[in-house]
Amino acid sequence: MAFTLFRREGFEKVTLDDLAAAAGVSRSTFLRYFGTKEDAVLGTFDNKGERVADALRRRPGDEDDWTALRHALDTAIEEYRKDPDAALALTRLVRDTPALCARQLEKQHGWCPALALALAERSGRGPTPTLGQQVRVAAALDCLRVAVDHWTASDGHHDLVTLLDEAFAALARG
């Protein structure tokens, strides 16, 4: 509902009152569920970092961190596989709206501690991530961002999984 309104009217033109009316609830009820307009769009990102961290913990113990991170990020792109057209439309809305883009990058950056902790837990070296693990997590999330940007720029014609593989391979080669 919110997404349809944003696509039709433009993110900046849609008010909280418009969103509440479309949902058939009062403004205060809408705000109880979504604190901001941005939250109405980006709510799907809220638990994604923990889902990726859980996927990372489930990776085989003999797998290196970089490979484990790459495969765990498949969790982050599930929506792209299930409904590429809807994912492309959402990604465009986010990328074309500065407030959404900034908020989405902030949310994704917020995944770093959980992913680094998952890497530390996998290594068995204790509960504190190393500098190297933190760097690998940051690089992996940048690979995801760049792959999604290329996929979006291609109008969804390139395969996102392949782009993500290529981004990871570019760094793996050093």
Side-chain angles (χ1 to χ4, degrees):
M1 157 255 357
F3 182 65
T4 303
L5 261 178
F6 291 137
R7 284 184 62 199
R8 188 176 67 231
E9 304 294 329
F11 183 80
E12 299 302 328
K13 291 182 182 178
V14 175
T15 67
L16 286 171
D17 290 331
D18 295 334
L19 293 169
V25 298
S26 69
R27 179 186 169 108
S28 62
T29 299
F30 184 85
L31 288 172
R32 230 175 289 141
Y33 290 96
F34 303 103
T36 65
K37 290 191 320 182
E38 290 87 357
D39 291 339
V41 175
L42 298 174
T44 61
F45 289 94
D46 287 343
N47 67 353
K48 200 175 279 192
E50 275 305 320
R51 289 193 341 248
V52 173
D54 289 342
L56 188 53
R57 286 182 192 95
R58 289 190 304 270
R59 297 302 305 164
D62 61 343
E63 197 170 58
D64 66 271
D65 286 353
W66 194 240
T67 302
L69 279 162
R70 167 56 201 90
H71 291 296
L73 282 175
D74 283 337
T75 303
I77 60 174
E78 285 174 351
E79 290 82 16
Y80 299 98
R81 290 179 176 185
K82 290 178 185 173
D83 190 347
D85 292 336
L88 184 60
L90 175 61
T91 302
R92 278 197 186 117
L93 176 66
V94 170
R95 295 290 195 265
D96 294 345
T97 308
L100 289 173
C101 189
R103 190 77 182 277
Q104 190 266 341
L105 288 173
E106 178 185 328
K107 283 180 178 275
Q108 197 172 61
H109 178 73
W111 301 354
C112 289
L115 297 181
L117 179 60
L119 282 182
E121 290 169 355
R122 286 181 82 247
S123 72
R125 292 186 209 127
T128 304
T130 65
L131 176 65
Q133 289 167 330
Q134 292 172 339
V135 167
R136 282 188 287 283
V137 165
L141 292 176
D142 274 344
C143 286
L144 174 63
R145 182 189 51 78
V146 170
V148 170
D149 286 348
H150 277 264
W151 177 73
T152 305
S154 79
D155 200 28
H157 290 107
H158 293 296
D159 179 60
L160 180 56
V161 174
T162 301
L163 290 170
L164 188 55
D165 288 341
E166 289 175 12
F168 267 73
L171 285 181
R173 287 191 293 269

